[in-house]
Amino acid sequence: MNETPTVLWSRPENERARTPLLVIFHGYGADEADLFSLAAQLPPDFTIASVRAPLVAGPGYAWFPLRNDLSYSVSAVTESAAAVELWLDAVGEQHTSVSLLGFSQGMCMATSLLRHRPADYAAVVGLSGFVVDAEDDPFFDDAAVAARKPEIFWGRDQADPVIPENVIEATNTWMHGHAKLTKVLYSGMYHGINAQEIAHVGEFLQYKVLNPS
């Protein structure tokens, strides 16, 4: 990825300054348009930026290569996250805060960015995804995350057929050890997003980012 990825914005450039930014990361094989319709269902205060992943994958794009068993290279994750971070550094300064939302593989990206520089982000929303196994990679500053206890929303369906149970267990352990976690389980959603979940995400962003107590 270069420093200027393809991005769909919810506002024209001259209306973005001094607004809270919400960056959306799509799932494997999708693109920046896939989740952009969610913008209309989230608090209108946010400027939404939906980013296209850098690698071609099937009909869409991927943040890093995934094998059939969902295994991956940690170095590929950190390389992709570092590239996104360069872009975020360029655009984030004009915003009052930066929050991240990722679906499936996009949740790996959102949480990996958080784990590198946790002070940069107001909150993270992870949907039907997981956190990567850092394998002691120095990119991941989990001690700083645990000290800060960032606000994270994690929504999923226990019948999700895509994410393996051992990965869910590892993610659950990491979340409880490092975050102020809002965890919600949904039924009948499988590996997807439903209207109830997006309503909950909107409430989470309203109360944790726009009107924190």
Side-chain angles (χ1 to χ4, degrees), residues 156-201:
R156 55 179 293 268
D157 187 338
Q158 285 183 297
D160 186 329
V162 173
I163 311 299
E165 187 59 36
N166 65 308
V167 174
I168 292 298
E169 289 174 5
T171 299
N172 193 55
T173 298
W174 186 90
M175 289 286 188
H176 283 285
H178 295 84
K180 292 193 187 86
L181 178 62
T182 302
K183 179 181 176 183
V184 187
L185 298 174
Y186 302 88
S187 60
M189 188 173 72
Y190 305 105
H191 192 67
I193 299 171
N194 66 19
Q196 183 186 35
E197 183 176 43
I198 289 308
H200 290 156
V201 169

Side-chain angles (χ1 to χ4, degrees), residues 1-173:
M1 183 192 291
N2 58 32
E3 293 180 36
T4 54
T6 299
V7 181
L8 282 176
W9 291 90
S10 64
R11 296 180 200 270
E13 189 170 1
N14 64 347
E15 295 178 11
R16 297 174 197 160
R18 296 179 298 281
T19 61
L21 177 64
L22 177 65
V23 183
I24 294 181
F25 301 96
H26 61 75
Y28 186 92
D31 63 24
E32 70 280 7
D34 185 52
L35 301 177
F36 191 64
S37 62
L38 301 180
Q41 302 172 61
L42 296 173
D45 312 65
F46 285 94
T47 292
I48 310 289
S50 187
V51 186
R52 178 191 293 177
L55 305 175
V56 173
Y61 300 86
W63 297 102
F64 50 89
L66 273 178
R67 305 179 190 99
N68 288 340
D69 61 356
L70 293 194
S71 62
Y72 49 86
S73 157
V74 174
S75 63
V77 176
T78 60
E79 181 181 349
S80 186
V84 173
E85 203 169 67
L86 283 174
W87 169 76
L88 270 173
D89 286 344
V91 302
E93 289 183 351
Q94 67 174 324
H95 295 279
T96 55
S97 66
V98 179
S99 300
L100 309 174
L101 183 156
F103 171 75
S104 194
Q105 192 188 47
M107 178 176 166
C108 299
M109 289 304 298
T111 52
S112 294
L113 286 163
L114 174 74
R115 294 167 71 186
H116 187 220
R117 297 199 321 217
D120 286 12
Y121 306 107
V124 169
V125 174
L127 307 177
S128 300
F130 58 97
V131 299
V132 304
D133 180 352
E135 297 176 359
D136 298 321
D137 189 295
F139 184 87
F140 299 90
D141 192 354
D142 281 351
V145 182
R148 193 170 185 87
K149 290 281 190 198
E151 296 283 358
I152 300 182
F153 179 100
W154 182 27
R156 55 179 293 268
D157 187 338
Q158 285 183 297
D160 186 329
V162 173
I163 311 299
E165 187 59 36
N166 65 308
V167 174
I168 292 298
E169 289 174 5
T171 299
N172 193 55
T173 298

